[in-house]
């Protein structure tokens, strides 16, 4: 298969800063933001107490998003 078949979606993925993995006859796209998800160390997505409606740290999602701070480490 020709790479020209993937040109439009490749250019879209590139502008979105997705990773593009080229395999024989297909391309695999991945949003790099998924690499920044980490489990919430406070609740792990499970509410410990029935009185609490959601975790104060992650708002009940069970994960946190690491943000790359310019000039700093995460």
């Amino acid at each position: 298969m020709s790479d020209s078949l993937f040109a439009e979606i490749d250019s879209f993925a590139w502008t979105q800063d997705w990773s593009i993995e080229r395999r024989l006859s297909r391309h695999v796209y991945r949003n790099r933001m998924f690499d920044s998800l980490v489990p919430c160390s406070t609740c792990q997505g499970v509410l410990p107490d029935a009185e609490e409606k959601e975790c104060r740290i992650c708002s009940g999602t069970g994960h946190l998003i690491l943000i790359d701070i310019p000039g700093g480490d995460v």
Side-chain angles (χ1 to χ4, degrees), residues 9-10 15 23-24 27 30 37-38 44 46-47 53 71:
I9 190 67
D10 280 356
T15 60
R23 299 180 184 168
L24 297 174
H27 291 190
R30 179 172 165 77
L37 294 176
V38 294
Q44 300 293 322
V46 179
L47 296 175
K53 296 192 187 251

Side-chain angles (χ1 to χ4, degrees), residues 7-41:
E8 186 176 350
I9 190 67
D10 280 356
S11 66
F12 174 80
W14 183 80
T15 60
Q16 299 299 312
D17 196 30
W18 293 352
S19 67
I20 305 169
E21 184 179 328
R22 291 169 176 87
R23 299 180 184 168
L24 297 174
S25 62
R26 63 188 177 123
H27 291 190
V28 177
Y29 306 95
R30 179 172 165 77
N31 186 335
R32 297 173 201 263
M33 187 174 162
F34 290 122
D35 296 334
S36 65
L37 294 176
V38 294
C40 177
S41 58

Side-chain angles (χ1 to χ4, degrees), residues 3 14 58:
D3 279 342
W14 183 80
C58 69

